[in-house]
């Protein structure tokens, strides 16, 4: 397909500090809640942790070489808060070694023609703040400390970094961290996650305000947030399942996107959660509303949504991959059911999620993560694992659908980041689940590119050589 993409379109790969860096106590870094969590027996499927991961704090030169050869024009990575400010808070020491490290890293990316896209928070809260006052549960403290950390990054890196993402996936931070307990810090219950989500929104919004008031005019960058949602397709066209799909999106995406793009929580969420849903003051909501320069979306799959069940987090909606005729929606893989057809659906429909907010703000959308865990890949020898045809199919479906969304549906997508350049530490799954386009032998740290790496490289190259066409 040779359809046009905007000339300022960003394409590349995404990673996160805790998933790749390793070196937990090098150059003054302090522990984050993910160090504590992964070292707690029983929390990570294979009993592993991120102590080494892909060793990228030391091997970053290899990462940049892989990115450059891949044809990526941008790289989305996250900064580790507990490296920059090891004790986390305002008034605590700023770590010159870490500033130097990320500064050199960013300049090397730029010299290689790769635009840095920086996530400030990809889940690794300094443990010190969690211990000091309860971390994300403490509105008065965390909002100010987060803004202080963000401001430090703008000050030191903002002359070179023009694309900032405040948080990655606040749904996962709040729900998996404070409701199901599957992620750090491992709390369970039905109330804390609403408080944490609220505080995440405020921290995001006040950091954006600081950027806009103090840095944007001179540095000229953009700032926004990355939300996550899989497309919720009604199980069938019965009115209750159509309504269930909409409710599911309100509980997953709307609980964050509506305050940011519309200035209030979705009514259905308010009605169901009642007093457990914190309220914004008038001043707060005026800062939250309009606080993202773009619509950042991580999207991996499509699910069928059905009325029923008592899972309040999902708005009492059940999800399935089995269609009414008994067949499966896509092929099975490690964590979800995906194939190229589902990818098409996911893309086209997921982009409509962005369109749902377009009349409110003239936002452009960015797919900030999208990727595929091949089932059983971790049991294969390297020579077999690199032949990842299922992942190629997925990316083929996705990039094709992306172009269709841009060209046929008029969706203003301005970026696409595949997850991920390397196999890495996949949170509670440990090293069992591989998402990389590059195989990592974790015993030797040897990197071997997979077929999907070559595939995406060709996709990007075709676009370059045909003057704006993919
Ligand atoms: C997303 C996370 C990312 C990675 C992918 C597979 O939810 O943002 O860190 O783990 O899933």
């Amino acid at each position: 397909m040779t359809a046009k993409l905007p000339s300022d379109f960003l394409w590349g790969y995404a990673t996160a500090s805790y998933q790749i860096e390793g070196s937990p106590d090098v150059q003054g870094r302090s522990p984050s809640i993910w160090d504590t969590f992964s070292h707690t027996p029983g929390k990570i499927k294979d009993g592993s942790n991120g102590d080494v991961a892909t060793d990228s704090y030391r091997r970053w030169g290899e990462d940049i070489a892989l990115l450059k050869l891949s044809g990526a024009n941008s790289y989305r990575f996250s900064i580790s808060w507990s490296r920059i400010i090891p004790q986390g808070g305002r008034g605590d020491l700023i770590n010159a070694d870490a500033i130097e490290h990320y500064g050199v890293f960013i300049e090397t990316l730029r010299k290689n023609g790769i635009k840095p896209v920086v996530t400030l928070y990809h889940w690794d809260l300094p443990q010190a703040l969690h211990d000091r006052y309860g971390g994300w549960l403490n509105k008065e403290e965390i909002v100010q400390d987060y803004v202080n950390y963000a401001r430090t990054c703008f000050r030191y890196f903002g002359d070179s970094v023009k694309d900032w993402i405040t948080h990655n996936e606040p749904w996962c931070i709040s729900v998996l961290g404070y409701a199901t307990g599957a992620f750090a810090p491992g709390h369970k219950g039905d109330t804390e996650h609403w408080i944490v989500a609220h505080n995440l929104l405020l921290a995001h919004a006040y950091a954006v305000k600081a950027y806009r008031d103090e840095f944007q005019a001179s540095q000229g960058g953009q700032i926004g947030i990355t939300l996550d949602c899989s497309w919720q397709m009604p199980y069938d066209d019965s009115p209750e399942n159509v309504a269930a799909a909409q409710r599911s999106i309100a509980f997953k995406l709307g609980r964050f996107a509506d305050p940011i793009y519309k200035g209030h929580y979705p009514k259905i969420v308010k009605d169901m959660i009642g007093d457990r849903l914190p309220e914004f003051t008038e001043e707060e909501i005026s800062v939250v509303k309009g606080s993202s320069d773009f619509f950042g979306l991580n999207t991996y799959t499509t699910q069928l949504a059905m009325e029923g069940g008592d899972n309040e987090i999902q708005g009492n909606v059940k999800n399935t991959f089995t269609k009414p005729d008994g067949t499966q929606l896509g092929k099975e893989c490690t964590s979800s059911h995906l194939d190229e057809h589902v990818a098409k659906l996911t893309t086209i429909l997921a982009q409509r999620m962005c369109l749902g907010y377009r009349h409110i703000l003239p936002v452009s959308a960015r797919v900030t993560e999208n990727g595929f865990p091949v089932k059983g890949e971790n049991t294969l020898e390297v020579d077999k694992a690199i032949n990842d045809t299922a992942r190629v199919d997925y990316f083929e479906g996705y990039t094709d659908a992306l172009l269709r969304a841009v060209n046929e549906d008029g969706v203003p997508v301005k970026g696409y980041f595949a997850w991920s350049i390397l196999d890495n530490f996949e949170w509670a799954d440990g090293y069992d689940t591989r998402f990389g386009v590059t195989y990592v032998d974790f015993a030797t740290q040897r990197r071997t590119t997979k077929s999907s790496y070559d595939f995406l490289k060709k996709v990007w190259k075709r676009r370059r050589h045909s003057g704006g066409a993919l």
Side-chain angles (χ1 to χ4, degrees):
M1 187 185 241
T2 54
K4 298 269 178 209
L5 279 177
S7 58
D8 55 352
F9 194 87
L10 300 175
W11 68 83
Y13 292 93
T15 61
S17 46
Y18 190 70
Q19 294 180 276
I20 65 164
E21 284 186 350
S23 298
D25 44 19
V26 169
Q27 289 193 326
R29 178 186 180 280
S30 279
S32 80
I33 55 173
W34 265 95
D35 293 288
T36 311
F37 188 75
S38 64
H39 280 267
T40 308
K43 300 296 184 195
I44 311 297
K45 211 161 130 192
D46 59 2
S48 66
N49 54 56
D51 282 3
V52 180
T54 60
D55 199 20
S56 289
Y57 196 71
R58 298 191 312 121
R59 294 173 195 260
W60 57 267
E62 281 181 56
D63 293 357
I64 293 182
L66 269 175
L67 287 163
K68 188 175 165 79
L69 263 179
S70 78
N73 74 359
S74 54
Y75 178 45
R76 174 179 173 233
F77 64 97
S78 80
I79 289 181
S80 154
W81 185 344
S82 70
R83 287 193 196 278
I84 299 291
I85 307 176
Q87 295 308 306
R90 49 205 193 283
D92 291 328
L93 189 88
I94 295 173
N95 179 6
D97 286 343
I99 301 280
E100 161 92 18
H101 168 88
Y102 285 116
V104 171
F105 179 69
I106 287 166
E107 288 322 313
T108 311
L109 280 174
R110 280 165 28 103
K111 270 190 219 132
N112 282 281
I114 302 166
K115 208 171 179 209
V117 176
V118 175
T119 310
L120 290 167
Y121 187 69
H122 202 127
W123 309 354
D124 42 359
L125 181 74
Q127 181 67 39
L129 299 185
H130 186 78
D131 295 344
R132 201 179 290 167
Y133 53 69
W136 286 113
L137 286 163
N138 187 326
K139 172 170 130 178
E140 308 312 326
E141 298 291 340
I142 197 69
V143 172
Q144 293 194 60
D145 280 346
Y146 178 80
V147 173
N148 174 63
Y149 158 62
R151 198 181 261 125
T152 307
C153 293
F154 303 148
R155 186 174 304 131
Y156 285 103
F157 309 126
D159 286 336
S160 302
V161 174
K162 304 298 168 195
D163 289 88
W164 296 99
I165 293 170
T166 52
H167 301 314
N168 178 72
E169 300 186 352
W171 186 90
C172 289
I173 301 169
S174 50
V175 170
L176 303 181
Y178 294 84
T180 69
F183 281 7
H187 292 198
K188 292 185 181 161
D190 67 1
T191 302
E192 281 188 1
H193 74 101
W194 294 107
I195 299 168
V196 166
H198 194 78
N199 295 344
L200 284 164
L201 279 166
L202 288 169
H204 148 81
Y206 280 94
V208 170
K209 181 173 164 35
Y211 185 70
R212 288 179 177 164
D213 290 353
E214 301 161 38
F215 301 94
Q216 202 164 32
S218 60
Q219 297 183 345
Q222 295 191 70
I223 186 160
I225 192 167
T226 277
L227 307 177
D228 68 300
C229 195
S230 17
W231 179 249
Q232 301 292 302
M233 194 161 80
Y235 178 69
D236 55 26
D237 51 18
S238 67
E240 59 280 12
N241 289 335
V242 171
Q246 284 165 357
R247 204 163 65 246
S248 183
I249 290 179
F251 270 77
K252 180 98 202 223
L253 184 73
R255 64 184 278 188
F256 299 101
D258 280 22
I260 292 173
Y261 299 106
K262 300 180 181 173
H264 53 78
Y265 282 117
K267 184 170 178 319
I268 182 76
V269 172
K270 237 176 148 50
D271 290 349
M272 273 179 66
I273 304 307
D275 287 353
R276 281 178 295 138
L277 188 69
E279 284 190 24
F280 294 109
T281 64
E282 256 175 55
E283 190 213 298
E284 286 170 352
I285 200 63
S286 72
V287 178
V288 171
K289 188 177 177 185
S291 60
S292 195
D293 293 337
F294 51 82
F295 195 100
L297 182 70
N298 291 354
T299 189
Y300 284 81
T301 189
T302 290
Q303 295 170 319
L304 298 171
M306 204 190 288
E307 168 68 36
D310 56 2
N311 188 341
E312 180 192 81
I313 292 166
Q314 290 181 194
N316 297 343
V317 173
K318 286 192 286 194
N319 282 131
T320 177
F321 289 110
T322 308
K323 294 190 277 188
D325 66 5
T327 60
Q328 293 290 298
L329 184 74
K331 286 178 219 145
E332 205 187 339
C333 69
T334 316
S335 61
S336 49
H337 292 227
L338 304 164
D339 70 5
E340 68 274 31
H341 305 298
V342 178
K344 275 179 202 159
L345 217 74
T346 305
T347 317
I348 294 167
L349 300 179
Q351 305 319 338
R352 298 222 168 107
M353 294 194 264
C354 313
L355 283 182
Y357 295 93
R358 202 176 161 199
H359 63 288
I360 300 161
L361 271 184
V363 285
S364 68
R366 291 175 180 188
V367 175
T368 38
E369 278 179 34
N370 170 245
F372 185 86
V374 178
K375 189 171 186 167
E377 201 175 25
N378 64 320
T379 62
L380 303 176
E381 295 297 322
V382 53
D383 53 330
K384 296 255 167 24
I386 59 172
N387 188 18
D388 59 341
T389 49
R391 187 176 282 109
V392 169
D393 285 353
Y394 176 81
F395 281 132
E396 183 164 28
Y398 206 98
T399 49
D400 201 53
L402 183 81
L403 278 169
R404 244 180 264 283
V406 176
N407 292 293
E408 290 166 25
D409 292 3
V411 181
V413 185
K414 288 290 185 69
Y416 176 80
F417 296 86
W419 185 275
S420 179
I421 185 68
L422 296 160
D423 292 333
N424 55 47
F425 177 72
E426 183 46 35
W427 308 112
D429 274 2
Y431 298 97
D432 270 2
T433 301
R434 292 173 178 261
F435 272 91
V437 298
T438 304
Y439 182 89
V440 177
D441 177 340
F442 291 103
T444 61
Q445 288 298 333
R446 185 147 188 264
R447 278 97 154 120
T448 313
T449 56
K450 304 180 191 176
S451 304
S452 54
Y453 176 97
D454 297 333
F455 171 77
L456 283 176
K457 181 174 175 174
K458 264 190 234 132
V459 170
W460 311 139
K461 200 167 171 190
R462 228 179 300 146
R463 181 200 178 265
R464 249 205 336 262
H465 291 166
S466 49
L470 191 67

